[in-house]
Amino acid sequence: MRRFVPLAITFIVGTVLILSVFIPPAQDLNRTFTLYFDIIAVFAFFLGGGNLLRVHINKLRMKKRDWQFSIVTLSGFLIMLAAGLFKIGNPGDIATAVDAEGSMFQTVFNYVLNPLQSTMYSLLAFFVASASYRAFRAKNREATLLLIAAFIILLGRTPFGLMLTGWIPESFSILQVPNLAMWIMNSPNLAGQRAIIIGIGLGVISMSLRLILGVERSYLGDDNA
Amino acid sequence: MKYMLRVLFSLVLFATTAVLAQTDVVESDSTTVVTEQTPAPVSMFEAKDKDNDHGHAFVLNWELSADDGAGLDNVLTYEVFRWTPNISDSIGIIDTLLNVAIVDNGPLNQTTATDAEQRIDSLMTAFLGPLANASAQEKGARLHELRAAYVERLAEVHSAYPANGYWRKIKVVPFGTTSCEDVGGKEPENSGYIPDFTDYYYRVDAVTADTLVRAESKIAGPVQSSGQWFNTGRVPVLCFVIIFTILTLYFVQAAKKGTDLYVRPLGGIEAVDDAIGRATEMGKPILYVLGLGSAADVATIASFTILGRVAKKVAEYQTELIVPTYDPIVMSVAQEVVKSAYYDAGRPDSYNEDTVFFVTQSQFAYVAAVNGIMLRDLPATNIYMGKFYAESLILAETGALAGSIQISGTDEIAQIPFFIVACDYTLIGEELYAASAYLGREPVLLGSLKAQDYAKAAIIILAIIGLIAGNLDWTGFTGLFEVTN
């Protein structure tokens, strides 16, 4: 019974949603079920918050390695929770929005969380450079091809590319670096991407069928198919 | 003196010329008043019910005005009009009153008298009569009743065309356009509701730069909308789904009967066992990242399967597993999957509840936390499986810097190159979904994988034929695969 009920729900809902694609009056069902999912997700936030508290309080209590970081995590969590729940510093009364300008919640969000997130995101620039350095080493034929393609695209996306090859006559304009870059992006690159997309599409259908038919059950914590 | 006179004369001449030139410009400007000529109206204008939909919608088609792109070439836009009974305006005003005044703690619920409140009150009185002592809720209920009564009368008042109505502009489309849709609300409660089986009338005006100069089309109507029970525009998709399902069931049955099914090896998955072995030897943990997807994403579901297999091996080898999660629902499912894997491995006592834990639902805060784990705990192996976005490279590069063996898999096209560059093994797109079947080696799962391979082969063949057909203009063949709406 513990396995049968979720499998039956998956089968019925999956089949109904597939059929709804072909039945116009039922086309909004997809949106309705997404709404149900969102409602369930709201309750899951309590699970998440509870787990966070439990894990970090345990860490503090048992003085596990790096327990000091848990103080920061718990403080951040509790301060934001209190600021949001009790609307600390809100310009109006309790009825005003939690993210009203001037509220503590919004101030911490704007002046602490946002800059920290931007800092993390900005790391990407350095990582792109280091990853490119590793990827573009001409170790073998494929890597050399990648290096050449990347070089053309990098050059083609800058005014320098046009400056270098702008003199090439119109009849051979494909050889101008910006055009060559565009061709690489629109032809070989797009063809490759579409092949992957078709594969993903088939994979999704296959996986969905496995789930609907109950062949794939690992998401229920059942390892035996 | 003579020289001075010559200079003076030249200056006067120059000034006069300049003034005359200026005058010319003014005169020239004053004569450039453009008078638009009336353009030709659109032709072959027709309004019909939209096919393959739930009803409540029309499609309008016409042929361009003779003066659009040719002739006078002065048509700038086409304005689409729908004949609208006056009662529709009343419904619109009631909707506004209900949305603005009653709901959302609007002015009617406020204690302070304002102009807005007075205006709304006077409108309410116009609709409902004197309601001096009525509460906001009572007024709302009365408005709902009145609205329902008006909606019920819509079909009747539409049939009285052209009495008690007017032409309302519903759309403006640019020159060169030959069709548009009028999609209304589906439920009577929706604003802009278009009832089915009700007479509607449409008109299109060809409009010039001077919006007063326009040509009206003939009136199309009466036309009624209705819903269909089956979307014939999606028949090719249905055929494909049926064929694919039959193929899957066939191969699953064949696999159950013991047919040997060859599945090509997946490097990334074969490396999982080695990576777990390496972690065991080094005495370091394994980090498993499920990505930023929700439990409803297929990639995350596939990742659960792989997590189950990894957790089972980890339990057998008695290695430490760390699973930081981004989504609380994903956390709950992952906890269940890991717990089951430990039970299956016969090591329920080794299961630690803190193996799978929730971090945060903020993208870069999550990245910061996971990167912190990588740099502090130095896991021997990092496995990234699921949905990833901008954080993919930050995670994978940090892992590479920490010296971990990295295996990744995602169906996010834009992130695949980053993983390929920064990880030792990458499952590209569909390989992520295939991994679960490949890992399990269960006949039924392999059967579905085989069906997928055959479908892929069929698509390649059809794509080649389609390429030839497209170039030879065999529209009959390409039309077979056309999906509309």
Side-chain angles (χ1 to χ4, degrees):
Chain A
M1 198 61 165
R2 189 170 162 257
R3 289 281 172 261
F4 175 76
V5 173
L7 285 176
I9 292 172
T10 311
F11 177 77
I12 293 165
V13 174
T15 311
V16 167
L17 286 180
I18 287 180
L19 291 177
S20 75
V21 174
F22 306 100
I23 301 170
Q27 265 169 16
D28 285 349
L29 270 182
N30 184 20
R31 225 175 302 157
T32 312
F33 276 93
T34 309
L35 204 65
Y36 294 161
F37 182 82
D38 290 344
I39 293 167
I40 296 168
V42 170
F43 293 102
F45 281 114
F46 293 105
L47 273 178
N51 181 272
L52 186 98
L53 281 175
R54 192 179 56 78
V55 168
H56 287 279
I57 289 173
N58 273 351
K59 227 176 182 180
L60 274 180
R61 213 181 48 203
M62 298 167 81
K63 287 269 167 63
K64 284 186 182 172
R65 191 162 62 90
D66 300 325
W67 60 271
Q68 297 89 338
F69 295 128
S70 294
I71 299 176
V72 180
T73 308
L74 285 174
S75 309
F77 177 71
L78 294 173
I79 288 170
M80 285 304 267
L81 189 69
L85 277 180
F86 304 115
K87 300 192 177 170
I88 300 170
N90 265 38
D93 57 5
I94 197 88
T96 52
V98 70
D99 55 354
E101 207 54 51
S103 65
M104 184 180 167
F105 186 89
Q106 192 63 14
T107 307
V108 177
F109 187 85
N110 285 342
Y111 299 108
V112 180
L113 191 68
N114 262 350
L116 286 173
Q117 285 188 330
S118 305
T119 309
M120 280 309 295
Y121 186 46
S122 63
L123 285 177
L124 200 58
F126 302 101
F127 285 138
V128 165
S130 66
S132 306
Y133 172 72
R134 202 141 12 100
F136 298 154
R137 273 181 299 183
K139 288 178 289 189
N140 49 36
R141 204 167 38 186
E142 287 86 359
T144 313
L145 269 178
L146 188 68
L147 172 67
I148 295 168
F151 183 72
I152 292 170
I153 287 165
L154 283 174
L155 210 60
R157 295 282 163 101
T158 59
F160 192 60
L162 188 64
M163 231 171 75
L164 273 181
T165 52
W167 54 270
I168 295 176
E170 200 56 34
S171 47
F172 294 102
S173 62
I174 184 69
L175 295 175
Q176 289 177 357
V177 175
N179 292 339
L180 212 53
M182 212 184 295
W183 179 81
I184 290 172
M185 290 305 287
N186 291 343
S187 299
N189 173 61
L190 200 62
Q193 278 200 9
R194 283 187 181 159
I196 295 173
I197 289 169
I198 290 172
I200 290 173
L202 281 172
V204 168
I205 298 172
S206 176
M207 183 83 183
S208 306
L209 276 177
R210 289 205 294 262
L211 291 167
I212 291 169
L213 297 174
V215 173
E216 176 88 58
R217 300 180 212 167
S218 54
Y219 68 100
L220 299 171
D222 184 357
D223 204 26
N224 304 314
Chain B
M1 186 67 185
K2 202 176 171 183
Y3 176 75
M4 284 288 286
L5 278 172
R6 277 174 65 185
V7 170
L8 197 65
F9 178 74
S10 304
L11 281 172
V12 170
L13 192 69
F14 176 76
T16 315
T17 317
V19 169
L20 282 174
Q22 192 70 17
T23 315
D24 278 351
V25 170
V26 172
E27 277 175 4
S28 146
D29 276 352
S30 65
T31 53
T32 53
V33 175
V34 180
T35 310
E36 289 287 0
Q37 284 181 273
T38 309
V42 301
S43 53
M44 309 292 284
F45 177 52
E46 59 162 8
K48 57 180 185 181
D49 174 38
K50 192 180 171 203
D51 285 335
N52 296 321
D53 69 343
H54 52 68
H56 317 281
F58 296 100
V59 177
L60 312 174
N61 294 308
W62 62 86
E63 284 189 2
L64 294 179
S65 155
D67 296 318
D68 180 352
L72 297 171
D73 198 11
N74 62 348
V75 175
L76 208 62
T77 56
Y78 292 104
E79 292 184 356
V80 182
F81 289 83
R82 181 174 69 202
W83 185 81
T84 308
N86 296 331
I87 205 172
S88 292
D89 283 351
S90 305
I91 294 171
I93 295 169
I94 292 174
D95 282 340
T96 311
L97 285 172
L98 285 168
N99 290 330
V100 177
I102 307 292
V103 184
D104 293 337
N105 204 25
L108 280 180
N109 291 339
Q110 305 292 318
T111 48
T112 322
T114 60
D115 284 350
E117 191 182 339
Q118 283 168 9
R119 276 203 299 275
I120 289 165
D121 264 348
S122 65
L123 264 173
M124 299 274 272
T125 312
F127 274 101
L128 306 173
L131 280 167
N133 297 321
S135 67
Q137 284 73 20
E138 283 169 338
K139 288 177 183 175
R142 290 282 299 277
L143 280 175
H144 275 296
E145 279 172 24
L146 189 66
R147 190 187 185 283
Y150 281 163
V151 169
E152 251 179 50
R153 286 182 56 207
L154 272 178
E156 174 198 328
V157 292
H158 269 92
S159 62
Y161 168 86
N164 298 323
Y166 67 100
W167 288 99
R168 181 196 281 177
K169 185 161 65 182
I170 53 164
K171 262 186 177 55
V172 179
V173 293
F175 61 89
T177 310
T178 56
S179 71
C180 77
E181 288 183 0
D182 182 21
V183 181
K186 221 162 59 161
E187 304 297 334
E189 297 80 32
N190 298 149
S191 58
Y193 169 62
I194 291 182
D196 279 345
F197 309 110
T198 301
D199 292 341
Y200 273 80
Y201 299 85
Y202 288 92
R203 191 188 90 199
V204 173
D205 287 5
V207 184
T208 63
D210 178 359
T211 52
L212 293 173
V213 183
R214 56 177 62 213
E216 293 180 9
S217 70
K218 70 175 179 66
I219 291 159
V223 58
Q224 297 189 342
S225 66
S226 61
Q228 285 76 45
W229 281 101
F230 181 70
N231 187 343
T232 51
R234 290 181 181 169
V235 167
V237 181
L238 183 64
C239 291
F240 177 78
V241 170
I242 291 170
I243 292 168
F244 193 71
T245 309
I246 291 170
L247 260 180
T248 305
L249 292 174
Y250 170 76
F251 280 107
V252 166
Q253 285 305 318
K256 275 182 178 171
K257 282 179 188 164
T259 311
D260 189 29
L261 298 172
Y262 171 76
V263 180
R264 72 186 167 85
L266 296 173
I269 288 303
E270 291 193 334
V272 168
D273 286 353
D274 297 338
I276 297 170
R278 179 178 182 261
T280 313
E281 281 170 17
M282 293 172 77
K284 287 183 173 180
I286 292 165
L287 179 71
Y288 193 101
V289 183
L290 284 147
L292 264 58
S294 76
D297 286 315
V298 181
T300 313
I301 296 171
S303 186
F304 287 140
T305 314
I306 301 167
L307 172 64
R309 311 289 177 180
V310 170
K312 196 173 174 183
K313 281 271 178 218
V314 163
E316 283 166 5
Y317 291 175
Q318 294 286 289
T319 312
E320 190 190 347
L321 179 67
I322 306 171
V323 189
T325 56
Y326 171 83
D327 184 288
I329 297 182
V330 170
M331 178 199 73
S332 308
V333 180
Q335 277 176 338
E336 199 63 24
V337 168
V338 173
K339 200 173 174 180
S340 290
Y342 272 76
Y343 272 82
D344 287 343
R347 305 258 185 196
D349 50 308
S350 305
Y351 174 67
N352 179 1
E353 278 203 341
D354 292 348
T355 298
V356 184
F357 56 95
F358 174 69
V359 179
T360 173
Q361 279 216 298
S362 166
Q363 183 183 19
F364 289 104
Y366 177 76
V367 176
V370 177
N371 279 4
I373 292 168
M374 281 182 200
L375 296 173
R376 284 193 302 272
D377 294 348
L378 299 173
T381 304
N382 297 333
I383 302 174
Y384 313 101
M385 299 280 174
K387 270 243 176 297
F388 289 88
Y389 302 97
E391 73 288 350
S392 63
L393 188 65
I394 304 179
L395 290 172
E397 272 296 292
T398 310
L401 287 173
S404 314
I405 287 275
Q406 303 202 96
I407 302 166
S408 60
T410 186
D411 59 359
E412 277 297 314
I413 290 276
Q415 309 307 325
I416 291 171
F418 294 133
F419 275 144
I420 290 176
V421 165
C423 295
D424 300 282
Y425 300 95
T426 303
L427 299 175
I428 300 172
E430 43 129 6
E431 288 179 347
L432 173 65
Y433 311 125
S436 57
Y438 186 83
L439 270 171
R441 286 275 160 195
E442 300 288 342
V444 281
L445 293 177
L446 289 179
S448 70
L449 210 57
K450 206 70 194 163
Q452 197 178 320
D453 283 348
Y454 274 90
K456 222 185 297 174
I459 286 176
I460 292 170
I461 293 166
L462 289 173
I464 293 168
I465 298 172
L467 189 75
I468 297 165
N471 279 305
L472 297 177
D473 212 16
W474 295 343
T475 48
F477 181 78
T478 50
L480 284 176
F481 302 94
E482 203 173 309
V483 177
T484 53
N485 191 19

